[in-house]
Amino acid sequence: SAVGRGPEVPFRSEAYGISAIARGKELRLTLSALDPAAGPPAQDLVFRFGMSGSFRLCPAAELPRHAHLRFLTRESPPRALCFVDPRRFGSWRLGDAWQPERGPCVVSEYQAFRENVLKNLEDRAFDKPICEVLLNQKYFNGIGNYLRAEILYRLKIPPFEKARTVLEALKEQEQERRKKDPSLTLSKKVKLKQESPDLLELCHSVPMEVIMAEKQLLDPEHPDNYSSFKNWLRCYLVPGMSSLRDRSGRTIWFQGEPGPMAPKGEPRKAPRKKSPQLQAEPEAPSPKVTPRASKQRRRAAEKPPELEEKEVKEEQEEKEVKEEQEEKEVKEEQAVRPRKGRAGGRRTVRAAPASPEVPQSVRRSRRTSARRGTGEPGSA
């Protein structure tokens, strides 16, 4: 598209096919001519999706907004395979190379992924909380925000526990298991993993749940149908769970204590879903009623509207008379007060009546009445 930020794709062919392979959070498309002898050489594109990137197949006449790259079909009417990215965090680049700083894929390269983590536990990256390390694509290529919440929730691991503490314990357990039964068969190993999976195993199996059930969870024909995916979630965005922002600014959802490395501040708790009866009578805190508001409500309930209107007018007139009297007394006091230096010329913003013949209690009632009439703060 005209506003797309990605590079131009130097591939021109009247008839070509598209194949794809994924590795962690990257996807590689290969464009190849149906007639290799007459067409151009194959072209590879590697995509990163950011937070909102996706592919969508739609009629060419009904392109979605933010469709930054489009592949058109030759059928009639034509359709378009579009790379859609509303927030423009995604990107594509030419060539077949994966990003060098990304580790093995948690789904397609599980054994290499597991070894890459356990042999590098001395890396300073594992000094951070486990919830932050799970987003480090050098070691956990493919794990994102909702997956880390689901994995830690299933194992009841506090999200702000130190990553090395969690993973070193896992490494020790694996070594002890091998010592106890070195002749453990593959089928028994699989059974043990299914009965009590560890964190690295869940980093593989939880994404696989989404992939295997994508027709129900993320139906490409109904991208707006989010209910099935929400029902699958056990922790992420689930009412009743707590949440905190980690040091990278991402929100982690969890249950129970956050852990010793939690940032300062109390965790926020998502409101639980209320039953229809509770929705009809919500447990909202009652508004704070000031004495003045309470008095007005009682008056409104006890007196007819005509009488109430009459009293309001009388109070208004009384207030205006008292304000004039108070202003007059202030001016008289300013006129007789001696001026001393520069301060003598300053205007007095507020002064209490100084006439000795007026009792103090009367002066106080005048000020209170004036505030009630003008609606100053503190009148309630």
Side-chain angles (χ1 to χ4, degrees):
S1 70
V3 297
R5 296 178 181 176
E8 291 289 335
V9 182
F11 181 84
R12 298 290 180 271
S13 177
E14 289 297 321
Y16 64 97
I18 303 177
S19 59
I21 183 172
R23 184 175 184 267
K25 287 193 171 185
E26 293 185 294
L27 180 75
R28 183 168 65 207
L29 295 188
T30 299
L31 314 179
S32 52
L34 296 184
D35 184 0
Q43 174 69 60
D44 292 305
L45 306 171
V46 177
F47 287 80
R48 294 175 63 185
F49 292 90
M51 295 181 69
S52 62
S54 65
F55 276 94
R56 193 177 306 175
L57 185 63
C58 60
E62 301 174 11
L63 292 176
R65 293 184 62 190
H66 311 290
H68 299 304
L69 194 62
R70 307 140 188 187
F71 304 95
L72 301 179
T73 67
R74 298 188 68 183
E75 60 191 337
S76 182
R79 290 186 294 170
L81 178 66
C82 306
F83 177 65
V84 183
D85 187 18
R87 301 178 71 176
R88 301 191 187 186
F89 290 164
S91 63
W92 68 85
R93 63 183 185 278
L94 305 178
D96 62 352
W98 305 111
Q99 280 187 309
E101 67 271 19
R102 289 182 180 266
C105 176
V106 297
V107 172
S108 60
E109 303 168 295
Y110 170 67
Q111 286 301 330
F113 149 70
R114 188 180 183 91
E115 292 172 6
N116 185 47
V117 172
L118 294 180
K119 75 180 183 182
N120 289 294
L121 290 181
E122 297 302 319
D123 192 329
R124 292 178 60 184
F126 295 96
D127 291 337
K128 296 180 179 181
I130 185 63
C131 67
E132 296 179 14
V133 175
L134 284 173
L135 295 182
N136 187 337
Q137 301 301 296
K138 181 179 179 181
Y139 295 107
F140 294 88
N141 186 13
I143 300 300
N145 204 20
Y146 82 90
L147 286 172
R148 68 169 177 171
E150 296 299 313
I151 292 166
L152 295 175
Y153 169 78
R154 295 189 187 190
L155 294 173
K156 307 303 179 188
I157 296 176
F160 291 94
E161 184 67 62
K162 191 174 183 178
R164 187 177 292 109
T165 303
V166 175
L167 295 168
E168 280 184 343
L170 183 155
K171 188 176 182 179
E172 292 172 2
Q173 290 173 5
E174 187 172 277
Q175 291 173 349
E176 289 177 4
R177 187 187 301 173
R178 289 177 180 175
K179 288 179 182 178
K180 288 180 180 179
D181 195 353
S183 61
L184 206 62
T185 63
L186 179 61
S187 60
K188 288 184 178 179
K189 288 181 181 179
V190 172
K191 185 177 180 182
L192 286 173
K193 289 180 180 180
Q194 290 175 344
E195 292 174 351
S196 56
D198 60 37
L199 185 140
L200 297 181
E201 288 162 354
L202 285 185
C203 285
H204 170 74
S205 61
V206 174
M208 285 298 297
E209 288 180 19
V210 182
I211 293 171
M212 298 303 292
E214 66 175 328
K215 286 294 182 182
Q216 291 79 29
L217 299 180
L218 300 171
D219 188 348
E221 297 299 325
H222 303 282
D224 296 329
N225 185 5
Y226 194 55
S227 58
S228 297
F229 180 65
K230 286 176 66 178
N231 293 334
W232 176 83
L233 294 171
R234 303 185 193 178
C235 178
Y236 183 76
L237 296 177
V238 173
M241 297 295 167
S242 301
S243 66
L244 274 173
R245 284 189 181 274
D246 61 23
R247 288 170 180 81
S248 62
R250 304 293 298 276
T251 300
I252 174 67
W253 294 80
F254 60 95
Q255 186 180 52
E257 293 298 322
M261 299 182 72
K264 294 181 180 179
E266 290 296 321
R268 295 175 297 171
K269 204 148 192 175
R272 293 185 177 275
K273 292 181 180 179
K274 297 180 179 179
S275 63
Q277 292 82 3
L278 290 177
Q279 288 178 354
E281 298 177 8
E283 296 179 359
S286 57
K288 188 176 181 181
V289 180
T290 62
R292 180 186 176 198
S294 178
K295 197 172 183 180
Q296 288 176 343
R297 289 181 184 178
R298 287 199 302 269
R299 286 178 180 173
E302 294 171 0
K303 298 177 183 179
E306 297 83 2
L307 184 57
E308 183 180 2
E309 185 178 355
K310 182 180 179 181
E311 287 187 357
V312 170
K313 288 182 179 180
E314 291 177 353
E315 287 180 1
Q316 183 68 21
E317 292 174 358
E318 182 182 356
K319 180 199 72 171
E320 292 174 356
V321 172
K322 288 182 179 180
E323 284 180 350
E324 291 177 2
Q325 179 66 22
E326 190 167 316
E327 185 179 355
K328 182 179 178 181
E329 290 173 346
V330 171
K331 288 181 179 179
E332 290 175 354
E333 182 186 7
Q334 289 176 345
V336 299
R337 182 181 298 168
R339 297 191 177 187
K340 294 182 181 180
R342 296 174 65 186
R346 293 177 183 170
R347 181 182 175 186
T348 303
V349 177
R350 191 170 201 149
S355 304
E357 67 275 11
V358 181
Q360 186 177 0
S361 60
V362 175
R363 295 200 303 271
R364 188 181 297 113
S365 66
R366 285 175 177 173
R367 290 196 299 272
T368 303
S369 300
R371 283 198 298 268
R372 286 179 178 172
T374 56
E376 290 181 8
S379 62

